Amino acid sequence: MPRSTTKPANPRPGTRRHLTLAEICEDLGITRSTFYDWRAKKKAPPCFKLPNGELRFRRTDYERWLQRLEEASR
């Protein structure tokens, strides 16, 4: 049976389980260097490193992190 050469459709925005560093930086309006400064200070959202070295963020962890920041600012 031949394998399909078509790529699967990209999920709708907001439905993917993991976010990229570029998406996080864009959402927060920060540069990568700012993110890495926050990460060194343990102030960044939780993330994990893929075997290729890229960082990924679980959407649920990121949303909880934002919520904690919001609650702390009240």
Side-chain angles (χ1 to χ4, degrees):
M1 176 184 267
R3 292 163 81 177
S4 173
T5 57
T6 59
K7 291 175 110 179
N10 287 336
R12 291 186 328 241
T15 61
R16 286 192 359 255
R17 188 171 159 193
H18 298 103
L19 301 167
T20 64
L21 177 57
E23 291 169 324
I24 294 293
C25 289
E26 181 180 340
D27 190 54
L28 295 173
I30 62 171
T31 63
R32 284 179 183 255
S33 62
T34 297
F35 171 82
Y36 284 114
D37 287 343
W38 290 2
R39 189 168 184 228
K41 295 173 185 174
K42 309 243 186 261
K43 301 283 184 181
C47 59
F48 58 95
K49 195 177 279 194
L50 297 176
N52 65 2
E54 292 181 13
L55 297 178
R56 288 294 183 271
F57 304 79
R58 285 182 185 87
R59 182 178 297 279
T60 55
D61 290 344
Y62 176 60
E63 290 170 354
R64 271 187 244 133
W65 177 81
L66 286 173
Q67 186 174 12
R68 283 193 304 269
L69 290 177
E70 184 179 332
E71 290 168 357
S73 70
R74 292 183 184 162

